[in-house]
Amino acid sequence: MEITRRSFIKSAAVNSAVAAAAMLFPGISFGAAKDGDLESGKIQWKKTPCRFCGTGCGLLVGVSGNRAVAVKGDPNSPVNKGLCCVKGYHSIQALYGKDRLQKAQVRQNGKLVDVPLKDALDLVAQKLKETVEKHGKNSVSIYGSGQWTIPDGYAASKLFKGCIGTNNVEANARLCMASAVTGFATSFGLDEPMGCYDDIDHADVFVTWGNNMAEMHPVLFSRMLANRKRKTHVKIIDFATRLTRTSQAADKSIIFKPQTDLAVANAVCYEIIRNNWVNTGFVNSHVSFHKGLAEIGYGTKDHFEFQDKPETVDFEKFKAFLQDYTPEKVEKISGVPAKDIKYLAALYGDPDKKVTSFWCMGMNQHTRGTWINNLVYNIHLLTGKISSPGNSPFSLTGQPSACGTVREVGTLTNRLPHGVVMNEADRKHAAEIWQVPVANIDPKPTYHTVEMFRALDRGDIRFMWIQVTNPMVTMPNLKRYRDGALKEDRFIVVSDVYPTPTTDVADVILPAAMWIEREGFYGNSERRTQHFEQIVPPPGEAMCDTWQLIEVARRLGFEKQFPWPRETYIGEIWNEYSKFHNSPKHRMASYQVLKERSGVQWPFVDGKETKWRYNPKYDPAAAKDKDFDFYGCPDNKAWIWLRPYEPAAESPDTEYPFWLNTGRVIEHWHTGSMTRRIPILHSAVPSAYVELHPDDAEALGVVNGDKVKITSRRGSIVMTASINGRGMPPRGMVFVPFFDENYLINEVTLDAFCPISKQPDYKKCAVKLERVS
Amino acid sequence: MPIFSYLAYPAAGAKETLLGDLRRLKYCEVMPADNEDLLILVTDTPDEAAEALLQQKIKKLSSLQSLSMAFGHADLQTDHVKKG
Ligand code: SF4
């Protein structure tokens, strides 16, 4: 057995190296590389989507006995066609960390003690009930994740919104995707991309907007490189605030000052109009023009509210609005040379070039996140480069099921699995499927994520159940929210797979089954739903998050709403959930089809997937007598928005002269609670660091490896300096990855958010630096 | 049982020399790319001491420009991941 396991690992090592080489050198071939023992039939291969990012690569997991022993890319998955990144290849090792949570724990006299899982579930149900009785239904909440499977999110929404009757349901995707959602909703009336990853194979030009794809979406990035290798005219333009591995591979890197992407996007539109590159036929038929409020605030105070007031305008108003955004004026704001702005505009404006724009956190974690999403759509709409192969404004997701679970199931305070709580017809539809009185579903949204944690701090929320996420590392302005969670008379339940700073504040810890230790579905960035079966058993008493919710729901008396037997509940939940999306605009594949295939894209109608929405050649919901049909908005048009440049919530000044930018590295997934337990990923990047520009380092007297104190108006942290490392910020900016719980950079960040999406901006606040001797 | 795989970049014009140098080292398996100046190196050593020794020998090769790790399995301890 040892020899066999060793040869499995060796084969995985070879496969991993081949994949890494293929990313750097598309088309590279190794005649000697064979799958060897992995093909010997001694292990069974089962398909699953990758546990980690929103790319949603298909994996094949090799199982021997009860253990996952090997991983390879699923050649049947159209996403990655057999390729994986370093996280995917090592993903199964995250199942086997030495400190996996295997038993439930309950805090007694300040200490967490092991208890039978059944007793812990009893306590959760009892506390939930007592809190509702004492403080009202809006004093209890659930906070989940874009790593929730679809059934987890569905069960949570049904229990809290449908049965208990509170809209206190949020997920960490609010911190990563909310601006994408409101961007889609305001520009197209419906969420999620019109295009798909096949755009990568068709485009002539790629513009990455604040998006380090080489590290964050490496498999998609390698598809881009492969396209460029095949067709030598293909160009990759990196439009960013710091130099990264993406910049190294790009044909051109354009660096802009934080927040000024708003101005540059408007300047690109200005140039497109000035040069008569507007696709007039497309614009006249398919676009309408709209204006919203300006100076909309930043949400840094409790109870902040904002409601936009859209006003319909016309092309001439749009043109006049853009007069403030000539390339020369915008050069002064953004630091981007006017000639580079003109170059970008010429790429978008060239009728013979297919252009795909990619973005992720850079545009979404932005106090004007909705606006910048709108503005990139404006460029694609003005030129008609949308909804056709290779022409695609493409908002990438970070998490494996941010789309599937949070956006499609609607696990946000204002949403339902179909529609919104404010809409009576949507509430009726949900109540009918959920078999609850319609009056149970509150028509008023309650708290978005930041406000939910503020409510916990204030005492408006007393009970919070946190599943599959680690907010005590990820909340901005973290100290306030950790102190709030630790206050007297707060009850925190955490379902997770490893101890984290969030389990540190828990009153009850429920050990969770992870990924392929249970059955589930994820939904990736390109509207692809992916099923995975239970492949290995969970350790100890670890239990699937969905089943934890069902156990608690039944203890609260909701047996009728949660009737499914344990053998079949995931399939039955899928069948019930699918009723919410039973129209050609969003029909989903059946349970059986999803079990058979390596993911299926919705709308899935008459056995066919939809690759490009709003285009009748591909989309069954689009009117056949038109060339495009933007059926999401009431006027059947896509909306161009007049959105101005406005500064960040907090900018550097004399006291705090640096921008702080935070993000990720390829080796680690989010807060590192899984990847830091994978030995090789941990040893590759064992701890967080602060990247500085070499000139700033010199001015501060700092060399590589020195300690630097980073201080904002909210907190400070001491970290090791990295100069000329894998990324390089411009002068006046530092970058810190957030994967390391030993360096809680979010004690320094600011909890300002986009007033429309309520998504915080983790990319911009002001700090000062000191060398620590 | 440390097992690692690397992308090995040869010094200019030294792909064949590097292939020979690595093949001569114990615990090393090498696969040259057919169409690029790149090799895949897989090391499979019995323990950490042998691994460290091998690393030293590899680093001394003048035919090698740089190594970039692609995969590793070492049964390393990560208990220190959780603070406190
Ligand atoms: S790119 Fe994302 S989904 Fe694909 S293997 Fe890597 S982490 Fe997994």
Side-chain angles (χ1 to χ4, degrees):
Chain A
M1 183 64 212
E2 178 59 18
I3 290 170
T4 310
R5 186 171 169 238
R6 192 175 192 121
S7 57
F8 289 157
I9 295 167
K10 232 162 138 176
S11 301
V14 172
N15 289 344
S16 182
V18 171
M23 267 185 218
L24 295 165
F25 302 97
I28 196 167
S29 108
F30 292 90
K34 298 277 186 303
D35 271 347
D37 278 352
L38 297 180
E39 300 300 345
S40 66
K42 287 177 193 152
I43 57 173
Q44 268 198 307
W45 292 97
K46 309 259 186 176
K47 78 168 172 73
T48 174
C50 175
R51 169 62 183 79
F52 295 120
C53 87
T55 301
C57 292
L59 305 184
L60 294 174
V61 171
V63 189
S64 178
N66 272 339
R67 199 176 163 96
V69 294
V71 177
K72 58 183 176 179
D74 178 357
N76 292 325
S77 168
V79 172
N80 52 316
K81 301 171 180 162
L83 204 63
C84 290
C85 81
V86 67
K87 284 197 294 294
Y89 269 114
H90 293 88
S91 52
I92 53 167
Q93 292 182 30
L95 300 168
Y96 302 118
K98 289 191 171 64
D99 55 345
R100 261 305 286 274
L101 294 169
Q102 304 196 23
K103 288 193 165 144
Q105 293 178 293
V106 168
R107 196 170 295 279
Q108 290 174 0
N109 301 320
K111 279 200 149 162
L112 286 164
V113 295
D114 289 353
V115 296
L117 181 62
K118 185 187 154 300
D119 295 1
L121 291 164
D122 287 345
L123 180 62
V124 172
Q126 179 203 325
K127 279 286 176 184
L128 192 45
K129 192 161 178 270
E130 279 174 13
T131 312
V132 171
E133 281 166 5
K134 201 165 161 199
H135 300 286
K137 60 191 173 62
N138 285 336
S139 66
V140 300
S141 61
I142 187 156
Y143 183 61
S145 157
Q147 297 157 73
W148 253 345
T149 68
I150 290 173
D152 300 339
Y154 184 77
S157 181
K158 184 173 182 179
L159 174 59
F160 278 75
K161 295 197 174 204
C163 299
I164 296 170
T166 176
N167 288 323
N168 284 346
V169 177
E170 276 280 297
N172 70 353
R174 177 73 75 180
L175 312 180
C176 78
M177 293 318 307
S179 300
V181 176
T182 48
F184 277 118
T186 47
S187 291
F188 303 99
L190 287 173
D191 190 17
E192 298 209 27
M194 49 289 300
C196 62
Y197 297 157
D198 284 11
D199 286 315
I200 300 171
D201 307 327
H202 295 281
D204 304 303
V205 175
F206 298 94
V207 183
T208 57
W209 288 74
N211 186 197
N212 179 11
M213 280 180 79
E215 289 203 73
M216 304 319 148
H217 298 87
V219 166
L220 299 180
F221 193 68
S222 77
R223 275 179 77 169
M224 258 161 71
L225 295 181
N227 180 13
R228 187 175 64 178
K229 176 137 182 156
R230 269 197 318 273
K231 302 182 279 183
T232 44
H233 69 278
V234 168
K235 293 256 176 299
I236 300 171
I237 313 298
D238 166 56
F239 181 63
T241 57
R242 84 186 230 276
L243 294 171
T244 64
R245 286 185 176 173
T246 302
S247 324
Q248 284 165 21
D251 296 278
K252 185 174 174 66
S253 201
I254 300 173
I255 299 294
F256 63 95
K257 289 183 189 160
Q259 191 85 356
T260 66
D261 42 1
L262 297 159
V264 175
N266 277 329
V268 168
C269 287
Y270 172 91
E271 273 296 293
I272 288 169
I273 293 172
R274 192 180 70 84
N275 288 290
N276 293 321
W277 293 328
V278 175
N279 183 335
T280 315
F282 179 91
V283 169
N284 288 345
S285 306
H286 304 298
V287 173
S288 57
F289 294 83
H290 305 266
K291 187 172 178 277
L293 296 177
E295 296 181 26
I296 61 178
Y298 300 98
T300 47
K301 296 271 183 313
D302 285 33
H303 305 295
F304 172 89
E305 286 197 10
F306 172 77
Q307 190 64 51
D308 207 358
K309 292 203 180 88
E311 194 188 308
T312 302
V313 295
D314 58 18
F315 180 75
E316 288 309 315
K317 279 248 167 62
F318 180 54
K319 211 169 140 186
F321 161 82
L322 292 175
Q323 295 308 310
D324 287 342
Y325 299 96
T326 66
E328 291 71 24
K329 285 181 191 166
V330 169
E331 175 173 342
K332 292 201 181 86
I333 304 169
S334 66
V336 178
K339 70 170 179 22
D340 285 349
I341 295 172
K342 291 177 184 181
Y343 173 70
L344 265 181
L347 291 173
Y348 279 108
D350 184 340
D352 297 325
K353 284 194 169 74
K354 294 178 186 156
V355 187
T356 289
S357 304
F358 279 117
W359 66 93
C360 197
M361 293 308 121
M363 275 178 36
N364 294 338
Q365 291 179 337
H366 194 307
T367 50
R368 296 292 178 265
T370 309
W371 288 10
I372 184 63
N373 274 262
N374 293 147
L375 293 181
V376 175
Y377 295 132
N378 287 358
I379 299 171
H380 282 266
L381 290 170
L382 267 190
T383 52
K385 294 190 179 182
I386 195 163
S387 293
S388 55
N391 283 321
S392 200
F394 205 112
S395 159
L396 293 164
T397 42
Q399 303 186 76
S401 202
C403 284
T405 305
V406 181
R407 294 162 69 168
E408 291 160 28
V409 177
T411 52
L412 296 168
T413 182
N414 60 326
R415 300 280 308 279
L416 288 165
H418 183 267
V420 290
V421 296
M422 300 80 86
N423 182 302
E424 194 183 349
D426 294 339
R427 289 199 304 278
K428 278 187 179 153
H429 187 210
E432 200 180 299
I433 294 172
W434 284 346
Q435 296 188 56
V436 296
V438 69
N440 271 25
I441 305 175
D442 193 330
K444 205 171 166 312
T446 51
Y447 307 111
H448 58 86
T449 294
V450 170
E451 198 56 31
M452 186 185 263
F453 280 88
R454 288 176 181 169
L456 183 70
D457 177 40
R458 292 192 301 264
D460 298 336
I461 286 178
R462 301 295 178 114
F463 174 105
M464 187 182 281
W465 187 349
I466 298 165
Q467 287 195 319
V468 212
T469 187
N470 193 4
M472 293 301 129
V473 176
T474 54
M475 287 303 293
N477 192 11
L478 179 60
K479 188 171 180 305
R480 174 178 179 192
Y481 303 118
R482 190 178 52 244
D483 291 349
L486 287 167
K487 278 182 179 165
E488 278 291 299
D489 205 16
R490 307 291 189 275
F491 197 84
I492 310 290
V493 180
V494 179
S495 306
D496 212 333
V497 296
Y498 285 110
T500 66
T502 304
T503 60
D504 287 348
V505 304
D507 296 285
V508 175
I509 298 175
L510 301 173
M514 181 181 157
W515 181 36
I516 51 172
E517 293 167 350
R518 39 79 52 92
E519 185 182 4
F521 308 86
Y522 288 152
N524 80 351
S525 287
E526 59 161 1
R527 296 174 278 108
R528 180 176 300 279
T529 315
Q530 295 156 293
H531 172 265
F532 51 99
E533 61 180 287
Q534 182 183 346
I535 295 176
V536 290
E541 282 205 278
M543 179 186 272
C544 162
D545 295 276
T546 312
W547 196 257
Q548 290 177 11
L549 286 156
I550 292 172
E551 287 282 346
V552 170
R554 289 178 180 174
R555 281 165 170 78
L556 294 171
F558 301 115
E559 293 91 345
K560 185 177 149 208
Q561 287 79 13
F562 294 86
W564 314 293
R566 196 143 184 195
E567 299 71 41
T568 56
Y569 70 108
I570 295 292
E572 300 206 33
I573 287 176
W574 181 260
N575 293 339
E576 182 179 305
Y577 165 57
S578 302
K579 292 182 195 164
F580 281 94
H581 295 305
N582 195 17
S583 88
K585 291 178 187 171
H586 197 143
R587 188 165 297 142
M588 310 192 86
S590 70
Y591 178 60
Q592 202 48 43
V593 168
L594 288 166
K595 276 182 83 163
E596 285 158 12
R597 298 196 196 172
S598 298
V600 178
Q601 281 178 288
W602 61 263
F604 183 72
V605 178
D606 298 332
K608 272 172 68 183
E609 300 178 58
T610 303
K611 285 183 186 283
W612 288 276
R613 291 161 95 193
Y614 311 127
N615 181 333
K617 278 192 214 145
Y618 309 94
D619 183 347
K624 296 285 171 256
D625 57 342
K626 296 181 176 177
D627 52 351
F628 292 94
D629 179 13
F630 293 96
Y631 49 73
C633 285
D635 60 357
N636 262 54
K637 294 195 170 179
W639 287 21
I640 279 186
W641 282 91
L642 284 57
R643 302 292 201 191
Y645 160 72
E646 287 182 2
E650 188 181 74
S651 301
D653 54 21
T654 46
E655 198 182 350
Y656 297 93
F658 286 86
W659 288 105
L660 169 66
N661 178 4
T662 68
R664 297 192 279 143
V665 293
I666 186 173
E667 290 83 355
H668 288 296
W669 174 248
H670 275 195
T671 61
S673 59
M674 290 177 282
T675 46
R676 293 185 76 233
R677 284 164 172 96
I678 297 174
I680 201 64
L681 298 181
H682 178 53
S683 60
V685 192
S687 51
Y689 51 82
V690 52
E691 276 177 7
L692 292 104
H693 188 278
D695 295 346
D696 285 328
E698 197 184 334
L700 290 160
V702 169
V703 297
N704 244 331
D706 276 356
K707 295 282 178 213
V708 175
K709 186 175 183 189
I710 309 168
T711 305
S712 73
R713 290 179 177 85
R714 295 151 296 280
S716 65
I717 188 168
V718 175
M719 314 187 74
T720 305
S722 166
I723 303 152
N724 291 323
R726 71 172 64 181
M728 184 163 75
R731 281 212 76 170
M733 178 194 284
V734 293
F735 172 83
V736 176
F738 71 88
F739 68 84
D740 186 350
E741 67 181 48
N742 297 308
Y743 296 95
L744 293 172
I745 190 60
N746 280 317
E747 296 203 341
V748 178
T749 54
L750 174 66
D751 53 351
F753 51 78
C754 167
I756 302 173
S757 69
K758 319 293 191 281
Q759 176 168 351
D761 188 333
Y762 290 88
K763 306 290 184 187
K764 302 169 210 92
C765 73
V767 295
K768 63 182 171 190
L769 306 179
E770 293 159 78
R771 181 172 178 271
V772 178
S773 42
Chain B
M1 51 167 208
I3 297 175
F4 292 91
S5 68
Y6 304 89
L7 304 185
Y9 295 85
K15 184 177 170 191
E16 288 307 314
T17 320
L18 180 62
L19 180 62
D21 288 348
L22 289 171
R23 278 192 172 148
R24 272 189 289 280
L25 292 176
K26 202 173 169 191
Y27 311 126
C28 286
E29 286 170 37
V30 199
M31 278 176 291
D34 306 328
N35 51 355
E36 297 283 353
D37 273 347
L38 187 78
L39 297 90
I40 285 176
L41 168 65
V42 180
T43 63
D44 178 1
T45 48
D47 52 42
E48 289 188 19
E51 176 65 31
L53 201 65
L54 176 62
Q55 288 288 336
Q56 281 178 15
K57 287 184 187 164
I58 293 173
K59 277 188 190 141
K60 282 191 190 139
L61 296 176
S62 58
S63 53
L64 176 71
Q65 189 204 58
S66 66
L67 273 186
S68 144
M69 193 191 294
F71 180 94
H73 174 90
D75 284 337
L76 297 173
Q77 295 295 314
T78 50
D79 295 350
H80 56 289
V81 163
K82 179 85 182 118
K83 70 175 175 187

